[in-house]
Amino acid sequence: MDPPIINESSFSAANPSSYSLTGIWPFSSANGGRIEGLGLKMGALVGRIGEPNSTRDEESTVTEYSGGGGRKRRDANFEDESSKIVSTSSDAIALNNLNGKRMKISGWKDEPGGSKTDQEMSSGSGSKAPAGQTQTHKPSEPPKDYIHVRARRGQATDRHSLAERARREKISERMKLLQDLVPGCNKVIGKALVLDEIINYIQSLQHQVEFLSMKLEAVNTRMASPTEGFPTKDLGPQPLDAAGLLFGSQTTRPFGHESQPEWLHMQLGNNFGRMT
Amino acid sequence: MSPSQQPTSTNPSSLKNQFAHRFIRALKTLNHTKTGAAHDHNQMYRRSIRVKIASYTAMASVVGSRRAWSRAVLWKIIKRSRNQGLLLRKRKRRNPNPKREDFNPFRNSGQELKLRKLVPGAETMDSWCLMGETADYIKCLVAQVEVMKTLVDLYSIT
């Protein structure tokens, strides 16, 4: 019944000290491709064990089938980070065996996972040795199909709320990325305000594109009809071809953006090679 | 495939390069086919709209079919050029991830709705994909605006 998907060697790449869990819990996500069949089994098992715990505020982990997509890079990153905190001990294994509820199957998903798990461990059932934190790492290989979530103390541990929480955390991760993209969004807190900022930013960018396109059109029209009296000594009636000439002759032209001349040189160089 | 058309992935400078390349080509084409009346406001307006469409199309074609928003933009352009004389028929795209439950029951209200309207092709996505598309769209828009600014600067020296 246990398909031989566990390779201890696959774990050794990530963390040599995390073998022990394979003994307890033979199902693991070491081999993402084969999990699909197991997903249901694991879900059922976990669900069965998780249900009596739904009212308890003890911690448990549940794996979730995430349906793929190639966006599991974060998991790899966080595994690298959190590989420092992993340690296993035989006590912990025995405890886990006895406990039955502690099915820590795999790595954390979110960033402050390290510090959070330390707190959780210490705030968990105090009688157990808190140092015995067991964790397996998915070796940082591409696509794992599971996202592993840890439930915090005091939160419901039934399957649906865990799924909801995992989804919310995924979305908030991406919101953080968006906050980095949008300037001035770091000071804003709260999903609604951040979304407002993002919407404003996108609208302003689109207006800028429209305005610049009008300006470009005007400039092009002016350039293309040199009878209007503008001095176009550097640009002929085909301003676009002559842009390369312009660049070649005026190297000290002041630019608003310092980083751009380089790429424009390259681009116009390509252009020239292509068109002449 | 010519060396200047290699996939850009996330490199912003090559994105700008390729976008500028295609955009300038499109502008050349527009230049050659323009009519001469420069003072007619209607004509100017239409020309500026063409420039805008050219810029969005150039950006979307650089990104290619990697992203849902670029596919949506290109699809709209193709549809528009096909339907020039015909009736515009509405065509809804089915949700490409039907196996996922519709997680967020409130997706069609509030700011997310506004975001979905702004980002092309994001109407039928789940929230997580929407965020990813928005990020990519913002990145490409920023590159687009920078290139256009530089071009305007370049051509407006007189």
Side-chain angles (χ1 to χ4, degrees), chain B residues 35-154:
Chain B
T35 65
H39 295 293
D40 184 8
H41 287 288
N42 202 12
Q43 291 260 338
M44 275 171 61
Y45 178 65
R46 261 187 262 146
R47 261 178 281 150
S48 67
I49 294 230
R50 277 191 215 131
V51 171
K52 185 176 74 162
I53 293 180
S55 108
Y56 278 120
T57 312
M59 185 43 106
S61 70
V62 168
V63 174
S65 31
R66 281 197 299 272
R67 286 280 167 178
W69 67 263
S70 65
R71 292 194 293 265
V73 167
L74 292 170
W75 175 253
K76 269 187 224 166
I77 301 294
I78 293 177
K79 209 171 57 162
R80 204 187 280 201
S81 65
R82 261 193 232 153
N83 283 343
Q84 277 303 320
L86 310 171
L87 262 175
L88 277 158
R89 269 168 300 211
K90 273 206 164 177
R91 181 190 155 129
K92 269 207 143 103
R93 283 201 116 190
R94 263 204 308 266
N95 193 351
N97 293 332
K99 63 185 176 216
R100 279 177 167 263
E101 318 150 16
D102 193 4
F103 281 125
N104 186 4
F106 305 110
R107 76 193 328 206
N108 281 333
S109 62
Q111 286 111 342
E112 268 200 29
L113 181 64
K114 283 194 222 164
L115 196 56
R116 283 169 196 278
K117 289 201 177 141
L118 281 179
V119 178
E123 294 265 334
T124 54
M125 262 186 220
D126 49 339
S127 305
W128 190 67
C129 293
L130 175 69
M131 297 286 162
E133 292 294 324
T134 313
D136 196 73
Y137 187 57
I138 289 181
K139 192 182 61 168
C140 293
L141 267 183
V142 165
Q144 195 173 339
V145 163
E146 281 187 37
V147 170
M148 288 174 82
K149 270 191 206 163
T150 313
L151 282 175
V152 166
D153 285 341
L154 184 62

Side-chain angles (χ1 to χ4, degrees), chain A residues 127-231:
Chain A
S127 56
K128 316 289 192 256
Q133 206 172 344
T134 62
Q135 194 178 0
T136 55
H137 284 295
K138 316 176 262 200
S140 45
E141 290 160 9
K144 303 297 172 196
D145 286 346
Y146 282 100
I147 291 188
H148 303 274
V149 189
R150 162 148 278 225
R152 284 195 274 267
R153 186 188 171 88
Q155 294 182 339
T157 57
D158 57 325
R159 186 172 172 75
H160 290 294
S161 45
L162 276 166
E164 269 293 312
R165 196 173 315 124
R167 177 192 150 258
R168 275 199 299 262
E169 284 175 356
K170 272 200 304 184
I171 293 183
S172 67
E173 282 297 324
R174 291 222 148 157
M175 294 267 294
K176 282 192 204 137
L177 288 176
L178 273 174
Q179 269 187 306
D180 293 334
L181 267 184
V182 176
C185 216
N186 293 326
K187 305 152 194 159
V188 185
I189 303 181
K191 181 173 169 183
L193 296 172
V194 169
L195 275 179
D196 273 341
E197 281 297 318
I198 294 174
I199 289 172
N200 284 338
Y201 190 56
I202 294 184
Q203 275 173 340
S204 82
L205 281 176
Q206 286 177 339
H207 289 321
Q208 276 184 357
V209 167
E210 188 163 350
F211 172 70
L212 284 169
S213 75
M214 279 201 286
K215 236 181 152 180
L216 257 180
E217 184 270 329
V219 158
N220 263 349
T221 315
R222 216 179 297 148
M223 290 308 186
S225 55
T227 57
E228 298 230 343
F230 281 98

